[in-house]
């Protein structure tokens, strides 16, 4: 599996409007825009940093996974997104190694990217997303 770069670091928030000042006003990052990924019950907002991005997550539903995460752990780092060269090949390789996956086949995330999550049990508690542009 070839990891190209850290694509994004995702932060679960209580609300993008409440939180975006931290990234734009305090740190001076540029707000690139927001996008709702309805299938995952989440709105995403991006702040580019070099070749990577900070991705803020806001749940669109009180029962959604991001709302549940914030309820349980509070706002904070939610997942790391790694860009890979070939996501299907990466997933096949991980499956072959016996790594527990949340997504065995990619789904579509923000920006139309192909994405897939590894199970946090396989990675000692860190949620890892693979993505391919
Ligand atoms: N960090 C660590 N552990 C996490 C976690 C996180 N961020 N999110 C979930 N988990 C744990 C859960 O607590 C659960 O553990 P147990 O089995 O011990 O209870 C386990 O992982 C499975 O979680 P789940 O929510 O029950 O499983 P689902 O298959 O329903 O969903 C996931 C998994 C990761 C897809 C979902 O929790 C989630 O976070 N969805 C939002 C995805 C997202 O951020 N999308 C944004 C757009 C993507 C993009 O383009 O970047």
């Amino acid at each position: 599996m070839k990891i190209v770069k850290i694509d994004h670091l995702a932060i679960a928030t209580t609300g993008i409007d409440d939180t975006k000042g931290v990234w734009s006003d305090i740190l001076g990052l540029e707000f690139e825009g927001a996008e709702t990924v309805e299938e995952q019950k989440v709105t995403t907002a991006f702040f580019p940093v070099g070749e990577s991005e900070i991705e803020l997550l806001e749940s669109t539903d009180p029962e959604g996974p991001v709302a549940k995460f914030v309820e349980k752990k509070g706002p904070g780092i939610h997942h790391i997104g790694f860009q890979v060269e070939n996501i299907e090949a990466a997933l096949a390789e991980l499956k072959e190694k016996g790594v527990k996956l949340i997504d065995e086949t990619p789904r579509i995330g923000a920006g139309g990217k192909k994405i897939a999550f590894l199970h946090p049990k396989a990675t000692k508690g860190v949620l890892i997303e693979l993505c391919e542009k």
Side-chain angles (χ1 to χ4, degrees):
M1 170 167 74
K2 170 81 174 147
I3 291 182
V4 180
K5 64 173 187 176
I6 292 179
D7 183 78
H8 61 272
L9 196 58
I11 319 282
T13 73
T14 48
I16 288 169
D17 283 346
D18 286 355
T19 310
K20 70 179 181 198
V22 172
W23 305 92
S24 54
D25 301 341
I26 299 179
L27 295 173
L29 299 178
E30 192 184 334
F31 173 52
E32 200 185 49
E35 179 185 343
T36 296
V37 184
E38 205 47 72
E39 185 257 330
Q40 292 167 45
K41 300 188 172 136
V42 72
T43 297
T44 60
F46 289 96
F47 297 81
V49 187
E51 291 194 347
S52 305
E53 294 182 297
I54 295 294
E55 178 188 52
L56 302 185
L57 303 172
E58 175 184 330
S59 188
T60 58
D61 180 333
E63 295 302 312
V66 170
K68 286 192 181 149
F69 176 92
V70 171
E71 199 180 290
K72 207 160 125 187
K73 300 192 179 174
I77 293 177
H78 182 266
H79 67 261
I80 303 171
F82 288 109
Q83 187 186 324
V84 293
E85 266 181 6
N86 181 330
I87 193 166
E88 284 87 0
L91 291 171
E93 188 183 318
L94 292 171
K95 205 175 163 188
E96 174 73 24
K97 283 183 181 162
V99 176
K100 193 169 159 67
L101 302 171
I102 285 177
D103 300 303
E104 295 202 352
T105 53
R107 46 181 153 160
I108 301 302
K113 281 180 216 164
K114 290 199 261 187
I115 68 168
F117 288 96
L118 277 59
H119 199 288
K121 279 203 172 83
T123 50
K124 310 283 183 209
V126 177
L127 182 60
I128 292 177
E129 177 193 313
L130 303 182
C131 65
E132 185 190 333
K133 291 203 168 170

